[in-house]
Amino acid sequence: MTIKNVMVIGAGQMGSGIAQVFAQSGFHVYLNDRDDKALAKGINTIEKLLTRAVDKGRLTEEGKAETLNRLTPSTNLEDAKLCDLVIEAVVENMDVKTSVFKQLDTITPKHAILASNTSSLPITEIASATNRPEQVIGMHFMNPVPVMKLVEIIRGLQTSDETYQTIEDMTHQLQKTPVEVNDFPGFVSNRILMPMINEAIYTLYEGVASPKDIDTVMKLGMNHPMGPLQLADFIGLDTCLYIMEVLHEGFADSKYRPCPLLRKYVKAGWLGKKSGRGFYQYD
């Protein structure tokens, strides 16, 4: 199957990044969001990142113009009827995602593949909301999408080999590295990363060391580019808590129990960089 037209649903940081990468790789992309302001912000972010790439000599002015010409803002989900692939990048909530997939199942052409950028939720359950579970797959991009090379491709229970192969081939077209992953809570990335972040929060909670010193140990001792507490702030503490809850529920194992300090920060509205305060304070 040949993919030409793509829709990305959700114009936030992940959605706009995914849309940019597809448009730069020669696909025609609809960036969809029901919120006009969020959509305008997403398009504006893409323009800024492309301008920065031109300024740094990584992209020509012509390449920037061509990329933007392949990008169409959309507030109407019905535009998906023109697409060969739809990637959902909305809030990490099963009810919201299954609602979107039910609608897409009735709107998109019979051949279209439906993908989710979920970072932890089961693809099999998302696929069950459609009449085409064999054409539903996970595409977990890493943040920031234009920079990070990895894409976890997650097979649901009924994902067909043809669907998987189409998405793997297309991921290479995006100049990304695909990794095949089976449908378990958190996949590979967050099953390993989130418990490490959670343990770092326990280390702070128990008074073992300060946030700065915990992060310094991991940066200088383990050669991580960013400490786990700073990384949690960048991801969003509400997102970290949600993923830990998915792991805890999915595996029914106490080792995935979210740290009480993480819950307390989220309840206080200290969500990290996006709220101005998490384990660190931001301007």
Side-chain angles (χ1 to χ4, degrees):
M1 181 185 140
T2 303
I3 293 173
K4 293 180 180 175
N5 297 318
V6 178
M7 175 180 276
V8 180
I9 302 174
Q13 192 173 16
M14 291 302 293
S16 61
I18 294 167
Q20 178 185 332
V21 165
F22 271 92
Q24 277 189 267
S25 301
F27 297 90
H28 180 247
V29 184
Y30 293 88
L31 179 57
N32 176 278
D33 202 297
R34 60 186 181 183
D35 183 332
D36 285 321
K37 285 183 181 174
L39 185 56
K41 185 180 178 185
I43 297 289
N44 187 44
T45 298
I46 293 170
E47 286 187 25
K48 280 182 180 173
L49 290 172
L50 292 173
T51 300
R52 193 180 299 167
V54 171
D55 292 343
K56 291 186 174 180
R58 293 198 299 258
L59 184 68
T60 63
E61 279 289 355
E62 186 183 11
K64 174 187 167 183
E66 287 173 354
T67 298
L68 291 172
N69 284 338
R70 287 192 286 264
L71 200 57
T72 304
S74 163
T75 53
N76 187 357
L77 212 56
E78 289 290 330
D79 290 334
K81 69 187 178 192
L82 304 166
C83 296
D84 309 302
L85 168 68
V86 181
I87 302 172
E88 163 276 311
V90 301
V91 64
E92 193 75 347
N93 177 287
M94 182 57 81
D95 291 339
V96 176
K97 289 186 188 293
T98 51
S99 172
V100 169
F101 274 75
K102 274 179 189 170
Q103 294 175 69
L104 290 174
D105 195 36
T106 61
I107 296 168
T108 53
K110 287 266 189 282
H111 72 271
I113 293 172
L114 308 180
S116 176
N117 181 55
T118 178
S119 56
S120 60
L121 294 172
I123 298 301
T124 301
E125 187 175 343
I126 293 170
S128 70
T130 75
N131 292 309
R132 61 177 97 185
E134 69 286 349
Q135 289 162 241
V136 177
I137 199 163
M139 287 189 80
H140 182 209
F141 290 83
M142 304 294 134
N143 189 25
V145 181
V147 175
M148 302 295 275
K149 291 294 184 189
L150 177 69
V151 181
E152 283 185 306
I153 304 180
I154 302 102
R155 281 182 179 265
L157 186 64
Q158 298 178 70
T159 305
S160 71
D161 290 343
E162 183 186 0
T163 296
Y164 176 82
Q165 198 57 55
T166 299
I167 295 301
E168 185 185 74
D169 293 346
M170 189 202 61
T171 303
H172 286 298
Q173 282 181 261
L174 302 176
Q175 308 295 310
K176 302 289 186 192
T177 301
V179 173
E180 182 177 355
V181 180
N182 284 318
D183 194 15
F184 282 83
F187 317 130
V188 172
S189 56
N190 281 321
R191 183 172 176 175
I192 295 170
L193 174 65
M194 285 302 161
M196 183 192 77
I197 286 174
N198 196 51
E199 196 60 33
I201 299 169
Y202 266 114
T203 308
L204 176 64
Y205 180 56
E206 292 166 7
V208 179
S210 69
K212 185 181 176 187
D213 287 345
I214 291 165
D215 281 351
T216 298
V217 167
M218 296 307 290
K219 284 193 288 186
L220 301 186
M222 284 69 190
N223 206 25
H224 290 198
M226 186 183 291
L229 298 178
Q230 186 185 8
L231 180 56
D233 275 357
F234 276 62
I235 292 167
L237 303 193
D238 50 343
T239 302
C240 293
L241 176 58
Y242 186 81
I243 294 171
M244 285 308 300
E245 286 172 337
V246 168
L247 293 172
H248 193 214
E249 183 184 344
F251 290 114
D253 189 329
S254 62
K255 74 179 180 181
Y256 298 110
R257 183 172 72 97
C259 179
L261 186 62
L262 176 57
R263 289 194 187 280
K264 187 179 281 188
Y265 274 36
V266 171
K267 283 179 180 172
W270 294 1
L271 307 181
K273 194 168 187 291
K274 63 186 173 186
S275 72
R277 179 160 189 176
F279 296 107
Y280 298 91
Q281 293 207 35
Y282 303 88
D283 294 331

